[in-house]
C-alpha cells in the first residue's frame, strides 16, 4: 500500500476528501488546483504507482498528510529544487516578456471560452493562473506585485466564471476570492468590482439572491469605475433583483444600465467585458423572462443572430429563456424544441449551469 493511501485511510478520508484538503491548502497560498474529480484521478494514479506527485504537490501533501517530500530517483528526503533566493530571482527574471506573453494567452483563452465554453478553455486558464500566481507569490517589489496582481486578478475572475459554468461552485468562489485579493493588492478598483460582480452569480446559483444584490451593489458603488463596467454591474444588479422578486428595482437597474452604457470606443479599459447594445438586449431579455414580462421574447429573438453558432454559453442561456417563455405560454412544441437545442449546445460547451437550469425547467413543466 502506498504511503499516501495509508495516511489518507488512517484519517478516514476518501480520495475526494483528500482532494478537498489539498485545494484548501493551496488556496491559503493563493493557488488554485483542478477540481475535486480531476484531483481524485490524480490521487488514484499516485496511490497505484502510475504517477508521482511533483515537488509542489509534495509540499501540499506534507502539510495535509504530514508526508515528507521525497525525491523519486533516490527516495531521499528533499527540498524544492531551488533555494528561495533562486526562486525570487526566477520570479523577477524576464518579467516584462512573461507578462506580455501571458496577456496574449489570456486574451486567446478568453476568446476560446466565449465561443466554446469552459470545456475548451478552463484547463488552459487554470494553467495560466498557476503560472501567474507563482510569479506573484515570489515577487518582492511593490511595482512588480502590482503588475502581476493585475494579471492574476483578471485570470482568477476568468477561472472563477468558467468554474461556475462548469458546475464547480466551491472552486469558483475560491477563484473569485483570489481575484479580489489580487485586485486589492494591485490597487485596481475596476478589477475588484468586476470580481465581486461575477461572484454575485455564485450566490444566485445557491439561492442567495438578496446577498447577491447586496454584493453587486457594493461593487457598483466603487469610485471611478469605467462606464462600461458600471453598465455591466447595473445589469448584474438587475438580474439579482429579478431573482429576488423585486421587479421594480430590477427594471430601475436595467434602465440605468441602458443609460450608462457608452458608445463603442473605450473597450480597452475593460478587456475582460463584452458588453454592447446587443449583449445588453439579450441580458435584458433574460431579466424580463425572470419577471414574466411579455417584452422578453422580442428582446431574445432579436439577439439570437448575434450568438448562434458563435458564443456557446450565451446561446445556451438564450435558448433556455426561450424555452421557459414557450412553456409558460402553453406552447409545448416550441418549448421542447428550444430545450433540445439548449441541451445540445450546453453539452457541447460543458455548461453544467445551463444544464441545471434545463433540469429545473423540466421539473417545473
Amino acid at each position: 500500500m502506498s504511503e499516501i493511501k495509508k495516511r489518507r485511510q488512517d484519517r478516514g478520508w476518501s480520495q475526494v476528501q483528500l482532494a478537498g484538503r489539498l485545494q484548501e491548502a493551496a488556496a491559503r497560498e493563493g493557488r488554485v488546483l483542478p477540481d475535486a474529480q480531476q484531483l481524485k484521478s490524480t490521487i488514484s494514479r499516485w496511490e497505484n504507482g502510475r504517477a508521482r506527485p511533483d515537488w509542489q504537490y509534495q509540499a501540499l501533501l506534507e502539510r495535509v498528510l504530514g508526508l515528507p517530500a521525497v525525491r523519486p530517483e533516490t527516495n531521499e528526503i528533499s527540498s524544492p529544487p531551488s533555494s528561495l533566493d533562486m526562486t525570487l530571482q526566477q520570479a523577477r527574471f524576464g518579467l516584462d516578456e512573461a507578462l506580455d506573453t501571458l496577456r496574449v494567452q489570456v486574451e486567446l483563452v478568453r476568446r476560446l471560452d466565449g465561443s466554446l465554453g469552459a470545456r475548451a478553455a478552463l484547463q488552459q486558464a487554470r494553467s495560466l493562473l498557476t503560472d501567474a500566481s507563482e510569479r506573484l507569490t515570489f515577487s518582492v517589489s511593490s511595482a512588480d506585485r502590482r503588475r502581476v496582481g493585475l494579471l492574476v486578478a483578471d485570470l482568477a475572475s476568468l477561472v472563477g466564471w468558467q468554474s461556475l459554468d462548469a458546475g464547480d461552485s466551491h472552486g469558483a468562489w475560491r477563484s473569485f476570492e483570489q481575484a479580489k485579493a489580487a485586485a486589492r493588492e494591485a490597487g485596481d478598483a475596476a478589477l475588484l468590482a468586476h470580481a465581486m460582480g461575477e461572484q454575485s452569480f455564485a450566490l444566485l446559483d445557491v439561492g442567495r439572491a438578496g446577498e447577491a444584490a447586496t454584493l453587486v451593489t457594493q461593487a457598483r458603488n466603487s469610485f471611478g469605475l469605467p462606464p462600461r463596467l458600471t453598465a455591466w454591474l447595473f445589469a448584474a444588479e438587475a438580474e439579482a433583483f429579478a431573482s429576488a422578486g423585486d421587479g421594480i428595482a430590477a427594471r430601475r437597474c436595467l434602465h440605468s444600465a441602458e443609460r450608462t452604457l457608452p458608445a463603442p470606443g473605450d473597450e480597452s479599459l475593460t478587456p475582460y467585458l463584452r458588453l454592447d447594445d446587443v449583449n445588453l438586449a439579450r441580458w435584458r431579455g433574460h431579466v424580463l423572462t425572470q419577471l414574466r414580462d411579455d417584452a422578453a421574447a422580442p428582446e431574445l429573438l432579436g439577439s439570437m443572430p448575434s450568438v448562434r453558432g458563435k458564443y456557446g454559453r450565451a446561446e445556451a442561456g438564450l435558448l433556455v429563456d426561450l424555452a421557459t417563455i414557450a412553456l409558460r405560454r402553453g406552447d409545448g412544441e416550441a418549448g421542447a424544441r428550444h430545450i433540445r437545442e439548449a441541451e445540445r449546445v450546453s453539452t457541447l460547451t460543458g455548461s453544467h449551469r445551463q444544464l441545471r437550469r434545463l433540469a429545473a425547467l423540466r421539473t417545473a413543466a
Side-chain angles (χ1 to χ4, degrees), residues 92-104:
R92 184 67 185 84
F93 182 75
L95 183 60
D96 292 340
E97 293 80 2
L99 290 177
D100 287 344
T101 300
L102 283 168
R103 289 187 194 101
V104 171

Side-chain angles (χ1 to χ4, degrees), residues 18 31 49 54 126 171 190 195 240 243 248 284:
L18 173 55
R31 295 166 52 200
D54 62 25
R126 281 176 172 157
S243 296
I248 294 175
R284 186 166 53 242

Side-chain angles (χ1 to χ4, degrees), residues 228-344:
R228 197 170 302 277
L229 174 58
T230 299
W232 184 89
L233 289 167
F234 269 124
E237 199 174 359
E239 183 167 346
F241 278 125
S243 296
D246 189 342
I248 294 175
R251 287 183 172 86
R252 184 178 66 244
C253 289
L254 281 177
H255 179 68
S256 295
E258 295 159 10
R259 189 178 65 250
T260 307
L261 182 65
D266 71 343
E267 290 82 0
S268 62
L269 296 176
T270 53
Y272 41 83
L273 288 182
R274 190 173 64 87
L275 185 67
D276 56 22
D277 290 333
V278 176
N279 302 137
L280 185 55
R282 176 171 49 81
W283 206 339
R284 186 166 53 242
H286 174 63
V287 172
L288 293 177
T289 299
Q290 291 179 288
L291 297 177
R292 296 175 175 267
D293 191 315
D294 290 341
E299 297 276 15
L300 295 169
L301 291 170
S303 302
M304 179 60 83
S306 68
V307 298
R308 187 180 290 281
K310 303 173 187 175
Y311 301 105
R313 182 186 296 122
E315 181 181 352
L318 193 155
L319 287 165
V320 175
D321 285 335
L322 288 174
T324 300
I325 293 169
L327 292 175
R328 283 177 186 162
R329 291 175 173 173
D331 188 346
E333 182 179 349
R337 183 176 69 253
H338 292 317
I339 286 175
R340 286 195 301 272
E341 278 296 293
E343 187 168 50
R344 180 185 65 83

Side-chain angles (χ1 to χ4, degrees), residues 118 122 126 158-169 171-172 175:
L122 179 53
R126 281 176 172 157
L158 177 58
V159 168
W161 188 251
Q162 292 171 332
S163 298
L164 195 63
D165 193 50
D168 181 11
S169 56
S175 294

Side-chain angles (χ1 to χ4, degrees), residues 96-153:
D96 292 340
E97 293 80 2
L99 290 177
D100 287 344
T101 300
L102 283 168
R103 289 187 194 101
V104 171
Q105 291 174 317
V106 170
E107 185 55 34
L108 290 173
V109 170
R110 200 190 314 279
R111 292 178 186 175
L112 187 64
D113 172 66
S115 58
L116 300 179
R119 182 187 295 279
L122 179 53
Q123 284 307 110
Q124 294 182 55
R126 281 176 172 157
S127 177
L128 293 174
L129 179 58
T130 297
D131 291 345
S133 298
E134 192 74 359
R135 289 268 185 179
L136 180 59
T137 298
F138 292 102
S139 291
V140 178
S141 79
S142 58
D144 286 350
R145 293 188 68 82
R146 181 180 186 280
R147 289 195 298 158
V148 182
L150 291 171
L151 185 62
V152 170

Side-chain angles (χ1 to χ4, degrees), residues 20-22 39 78 111 126 146 180 197 214 219 270 292 364-365:
R21 299 301 195 285
L22 292 172
L39 272 180
S78 70
R111 292 178 186 175
R126 281 176 172 157
R146 181 180 186 280
K180 287 157 59 179
T214 298
T270 53
R292 296 175 175 267

